[in-house]
Every structure is written in C-alpha cells, then in structure tokens.
Amino acid sequence: MRVVLALTFALAGCGLFGNGTTGSSGGGSAGSGGGGSSNAGANALHNLDVLNSYRAAAGVPSLAIDDQISAFSTTASMELKATNMAHGYFMQQGNSGELWNQGFCSGAAENQAPNWPVTGGDVDSVVDKILKAMMDEGPGGGHHDNILNRSMTRVGVGLLVDEYNRLWFTNDFSGRCP
C-alpha cells in the first residue's frame, strides 16, 4: 500500500505527491476540448526540448514525454481554465488515489501557469517565457525544483489555448515505472 503525501506550495504554485520519493514524469500529446484548442504535438515537443535544455545545463538526465500523463495534463489545463484553481485536478486525483492509475509512478509533481496571453499565435514563445519564469524562481521547492528533479524521468504536457488566445499550461512529472 502506498503512503501518499500531499504538499501544496502556494508561492511556487506547484503540487507534489509521493510514495516516499518526489519526482515527476510525463509528457506527450494533448487533446482538445473545453472551449479552446490544445497542442497536438509540435508545441508539446518544444516544451519538452526547453525542459531538457534546462536539465542538461544542470547536468540532469533528459525527460521523456509520456502520452498517458499528457492526457492527464491536458485535463488539468482544462480544469484550471474552468475553475481558475491551480493544481485542483492534480490534488483531487492524488487525494483519491486515482493519480496512480493515470500513468504516474515513483512520485508525481505538477507545474501550472494560468491565463498567459498568446500574441500572434506563437505558443512556443509563451512556453519559453513560462519555463524561464519557473527556472528564475531558483531552488527551494516549487517549479524550478520540479523541472530539475533527478528522480523525474517522464513529463506530461497539457497546453490549452482558449478562445481569447490565452494559454493554460500544465506540466506533470513522474518517475520511472517498474
């Protein structure tokens, strides 16, 4: 039986669940729904490349994108848009234990960024700005630490651009599955 710890970092805005470890994994494609469109691949791959460039600069192995966790991340972005409550879906799924049935193994962590304007349809530049802001927070828990967490090996990417050209961003991280 897993012991699930739940921590919410209000200032850093990230959620974390673990079974004695912390980590993240995920990545992949995203679906659409909820009054907007989501990334079908290219923007998610750009997100992955930027994450991995930060990891490489810190001497941390690359993440792999995970389609199952990306589906979860897309739902998390849709919920973020609907409720404007950061990490609400992640925390709900973690508290119920359902998180572990959605592709997460060896810990789970989430980074979200709500309601970022997309100018000229350039989602990649907004992803760059979001990830830079997260890394600029520096170490000490939160977004930065989730991105550079060595125990995380997979990432899910959920990028939703709404009808007002606003990006709702979710990256979910998980460790290696046995």
Side-chain angles (χ1 to χ4, degrees), residues 8-33:
T8 302
F9 300 98
L11 292 177
C14 37
L16 173 73
F17 281 93
N19 58 351
T21 64
T22 60
S24 57
S25 81
S29 61
S32 64

Side-chain angles (χ1 to χ4, degrees), residues 23-28 44-45 47-56 60-66 69 109 111 131 143-157 171-176:
S24 57
S25 81
L45 291 176
N47 187 136
L48 176 68
D49 289 345
V50 175
L51 287 171
N52 283 334
S53 69
Y54 284 121
R55 289 172 68 93
V60 178
S62 294
L63 295 164
I65 203 158
D66 183 280
I69 297 174
N111 288 352
L131 292 174
H143 299 113
H144 174 276
D145 291 359
N146 287 343
I147 292 169
L148 297 183
N149 189 323
R150 287 182 174 276
S151 68
M152 300 301 171
T153 59
R154 299 174 298 122
V155 65
V157 179
N171 282 177
D172 286 297
F173 303 90
S174 184
R176 188 172 323 281

